[in-house]
Amino acid sequence: MKTNRTFTMIKPDAVENGHIGAILEKITAAGFRIVSLKMTQLTVADAEAFYAVHSERPFYGELCEFMSSGPIVSAILEKENAVEDFRTLIGSTNPAEAAEGTLRKLFAESLSKNAVHGSDSDENAEIESNFHFAGREQF
Ligand code: CMP
């Protein structure tokens, strides 16, 4: 069943480059309601757990190292058709292939430093949201 929520992180590259405000503005302008929001820094172990689904991939070590290298902003977002619409808003995983106007085209540096995460399914949106936010932090 489709839900109306997705999970996102503004990744360490975009935080470091000062894009938090601009990215949140684009997200709310696109019609998403912020359900939960916080700035935090993952440990390597946190990142390994969050990205466990990628543990066999050759880039897993680099990914976990990068995602724990500095602060991130994590959020739960709400909108009809949230998962699909948010993936359209952020653009292709590789910013070189991302459409004009997408968050990754505007703010990402590279495939690994790609500025923004977006859940790839309703099921993962729920798992990822609950990884980052307690029930009392979800509004
Ligand atoms: P995201 O989809 O948010 O979550 C998984 C991340 O792995 C993805 O963004 C990329 O940043 C990263 N990733 C995917 N493929 C590669 C790759 N070939 N090399 C490095 N990082 C990658």
Side-chain angles (χ1 to χ4, degrees):
M1 195 184 80
K2 289 254 166 241
T3 71
N4 56 358
R5 290 187 175 188
T6 192
F7 172 78
T8 186
M9 293 179 286
I10 301 176
K11 299 187 181 187
D13 58 315
V15 172
E16 171 74 20
N17 291 332
H19 296 316
I20 296 173
I23 290 173
L24 290 177
E25 168 59 24
K26 293 260 179 210
I27 289 172
T28 53
F32 291 88
R33 184 180 78 82
I34 295 174
V35 172
S36 306
L37 182 69
K38 71 180 162 196
M39 192 168 185
T40 185
Q41 182 163 357
L42 300 175
T43 63
V44 174
D46 291 333
E48 285 172 350
F50 184 84
Y51 286 111
V53 65
H54 293 308
S55 61
E56 301 304 318
R57 303 285 194 94
F59 57 83
Y60 181 62
E62 180 194 338
L63 173 63
C64 296
E65 188 84 13
F66 167 61
M67 287 303 297
S68 57
S69 67
I72 60 164
V73 172
S74 56
I76 302 173
L77 305 172
E78 188 171 77
K79 181 183 183 296
E80 209 173 293
N81 203 32
V83 166
E84 201 180 323
D85 286 2
F86 192 68
R87 287 177 74 82
T88 301
L89 179 67
I90 64 179
S92 300
T93 305
N94 186 345
E97 295 163 8
E100 288 299 328
T102 60
L103 297 181
R104 284 171 171 159
K105 183 72 175 185
L106 290 166
F107 301 113
E109 292 181 18
S110 65
L111 175 58
S112 51
K113 297 182 174 180
N114 66 354
V116 188
H117 169 83
S119 304
D120 64 3
S121 66
D122 289 341
E123 185 190 8
N124 283 337
E126 189 172 357
I127 293 168
E128 293 172 359
S129 294
N130 292 331
F131 183 94
H132 282 261
F133 294 99
R136 67 179 179 281
E137 297 174 312
Q138 300 184 21
F139 302 97

